[in-house]
Amino acid sequence: MLLVIAAIIGIGGFIVGNQNNSSYAVSFTVVLAIILVSIYFLTRKHVCVIASSGGSRIVFATSNMSHDSLIRFIDLVEDSKYRSTLRALV
């Protein structure tokens, strides 16, 4: 959402600046758009959600995990779910 707002403000600033020949409007909106983009990158989180049908969800941050270890963990969860489903059918 912040990126969309930043894009709208940036484009709007260039349009208003070109119509009024005002470099102040362009400067202000570009700085505001850069601030919004910075806030986006500073506040984003990496989260993993594991949910079962009809059960509660497990939500945990993955910012300290490498991409490979996260993929390995998800593969283990899916494998356990698959084995559990097979045991229930047999």
Side-chain angles (χ1 to χ4, degrees), residues 80-90:
S80 296
K81 180 181 174 185
Y82 175 71
R83 290 176 191 269
S84 175
T85 304
L86 281 180
R87 273 186 257 140
L89 292 175
V90 175

Side-chain angles (χ1 to χ4, degrees), residues 44-86:
R44 68 184 184 157
K45 297 179 182 177
H46 296 266
V47 188
C48 184
V49 178
I50 300 173
S52 63
S53 58
S56 61
R57 300 180 330 169
I58 300 171
V59 181
F60 58 93
T62 60
S63 56
N64 295 332
M65 296 177 75
S66 69
H67 181 73
D68 292 335
S69 63
L70 180 61
I71 296 298
R72 194 173 321 117
F73 175 76
I74 296 299
D75 287 342
L76 287 171
V77 169
E78 289 177 347
D79 186 53
S80 296
K81 180 181 174 185
Y82 175 71
R83 290 176 191 269
S84 175
T85 304
L86 281 180

